[in-house]
């Protein structure tokens, strides 16, 4: 398939799977334990692959920075979900992130983005962010959600540079999950003083499934970044909010409202602009 078509298709699929992973996390009793299981499982699944793929020479610095940012990102995600409803926090995280990512890509790395793509990015971000209207989101939850969005922008740019610096995309994907997963489990273990390991016994099955899905969702994203421009591709990943809405309505008992319908149309319209 043509890279111009393959990369967007990867990102749209990645976004939908990402929404499922976050819904599994939100549904777990202990959010720290759930996140540690997800990332620990991803690391264990891909650990044998480190013997097969080339070492990520040229990308070690990006890997280390990515692991640090992912730790901050996931701590913020956990705190946001602990203090807010999924349908309130998730739109803030995912709505603000594409605009921050675009700003970083343009200002820090000089990436070229067309006016049509910028309009599509803004439309997706705005449409996603409107989903928080009418939802209870306290000051703490809003702050953690904004920090999450900032970290999404930072790790997106970092990993896009890393996957391009590595000898092969698969090398960066495998080592990214192993390095970040190990760091995340260690962080949550220390933050909870070991409590997460006991809590993990009661929710390891959905967490392990989400860990496998995490490999798919972010593996697709990283391979897409190796093929195309970061800013529009990152925005396309937010089309996963349509899947998140479907999950909220079908499985969490939430209602379809005119605002939600408007948001879906905005997300799809923004994707259409980006895809041209």
């Amino acid at each position: 398939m043509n890279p111009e078509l393959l990369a967007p298709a990867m990102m749209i699929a990645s976004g939908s799977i990402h929404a499922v992973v976050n819904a599994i996390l939100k549904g777990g009793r202990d959010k720290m334990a759930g996140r540690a299981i997800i990332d620990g499982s991803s690391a264990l699944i891909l650990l044998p692959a480190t013997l097969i793929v080339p070492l990520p020479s040229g990308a070690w610095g990006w890997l280390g920075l990515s692991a640090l940012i992912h730790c901050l990102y996931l701590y913020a995600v956990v705190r946001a979900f602990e203090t807010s409803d999924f349908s309130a926090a998730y739109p803030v995280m995912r709505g603000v992130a594409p605009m921050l990512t675009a700003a970083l890509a343009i200002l820090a790395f000089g990436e070229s983005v067309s006016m049509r793509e910028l309009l599509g990015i803004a439309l997706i971000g705005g449409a996603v962010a409107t989903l928080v209207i009418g939802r209870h989101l306290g000051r703490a939850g809003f702050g953690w959600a904004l920090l999450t969005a900032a970290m999404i922008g930072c790790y997106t740019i970092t990993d896009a540079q890393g996957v391009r610096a590595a000898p092969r995309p698969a090398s960066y994907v495998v080592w990214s999950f192993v390095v970040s997963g190990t760091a995340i489990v260690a962080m949550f273990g220390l933050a909870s003083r070991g409590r997460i390991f006991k809590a993990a016994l009661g929710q390891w099955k959905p967490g392990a499934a989400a860990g496998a899905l995490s490999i798919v969702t972010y593996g697709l994203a990283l391979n897409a970044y190796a093929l195309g421009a970061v800013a529009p591709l990152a925005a396309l990943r937010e089309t996963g909010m349509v899947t998140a809405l479907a999950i909220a309505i079908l499985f969490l008992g939430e209602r379809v409202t005119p605002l939600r319908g408007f948001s879906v149309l905005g997300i799809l319209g923004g994707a259409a602009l980006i895809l041209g």
Side-chain angles (χ1 to χ4, degrees):
M1 184 184 291
N2 188 318
E4 292 183 1
L5 298 176
L6 181 59
M10 285 179 172
M11 292 307 287
I12 291 170
S14 173
S16 291
I17 300 168
H18 186 266
V20 175
V21 171
N22 276 274
I24 292 172
L25 174 62
K26 176 59 181 175
R29 183 173 299 176
D30 188 309
K31 304 300 183 293
M32 279 194 183
R35 194 65 245 190
I37 297 166
I38 290 171
D39 293 284
S41 297
S42 298
L44 286 174
I45 290 169
L46 287 181
L47 185 60
T50 60
L51 302 175
I52 301 171
V53 300
L55 289 172
S57 54
W60 287 112
W62 295 113
L63 278 168
L65 180 59
S66 176
L68 175 62
I69 296 171
H70 270 88
C71 284
L72 294 172
Y73 155 67
L74 290 172
Y75 186 81
V77 168
V78 166
R79 293 308 305 268
F81 285 165
E82 285 178 340
T83 55
S84 311
D85 290 339
F86 177 71
S87 57
Y90 197 65
V92 174
M93 298 174 187
R94 309 310 306 189
V96 177
M99 291 178 279
L100 290 176
T101 301
L104 286 170
I106 295 167
L107 297 176
F109 294 98
E111 188 171 285
S112 176
V113 182
S114 70
M115 182 57 66
R116 174 177 49 79
E117 289 173 330
L118 282 174
L119 289 173
I121 292 167
L123 184 54
I124 288 175
V128 171
T130 60
L131 291 170
V132 78
I133 296 174
R135 295 279 161 187
H136 174 67
L137 186 61
R139 184 178 299 178
F142 183 66
W144 286 117
L146 282 181
L147 179 58
T148 300
M151 292 302 101
I152 290 171
C154 289
Y155 79 62
T156 298
I157 294 298
T158 297
D159 285 338
Q161 297 303 312
V163 77
R164 293 168 182 174
R168 284 169 44 194
S171 174
Y172 190 86
V173 171
V174 167
W175 281 96
S176 176
F177 275 103
V178 172
V179 172
S180 292
T182 302
I184 290 160
V185 171
M187 176 191 68
F188 283 134
L190 290 171
S192 68
R193 298 182 180 179
R195 173 184 52 79
I196 62 165
F197 300 110
K198 182 177 180 180
L201 295 175
Q203 58 188 78
W204 69 270
K205 289 183 180 179
L213 289 174
S214 287
I215 295 172
V216 178
T217 180
Y218 206 49
L220 285 170
L222 288 175
N223 276 279
Y225 291 142
L227 297 174
V230 176
L233 288 174
L236 280 178
R237 197 173 188 225
E238 306 316 322
T239 57
M241 276 305 306
V242 177
T243 302
L245 283 173
I247 291 170
I249 291 164
L250 296 175
F251 298 102
L252 303 180
E254 299 184 8
R255 294 184 302 109
V256 180
T257 64
L259 181 61
R260 286 187 163 186
F262 174 78
S263 178
V264 168
L265 291 176
I267 293 168
L268 296 178
L273 281 172
I274 291 172
L275 294 172

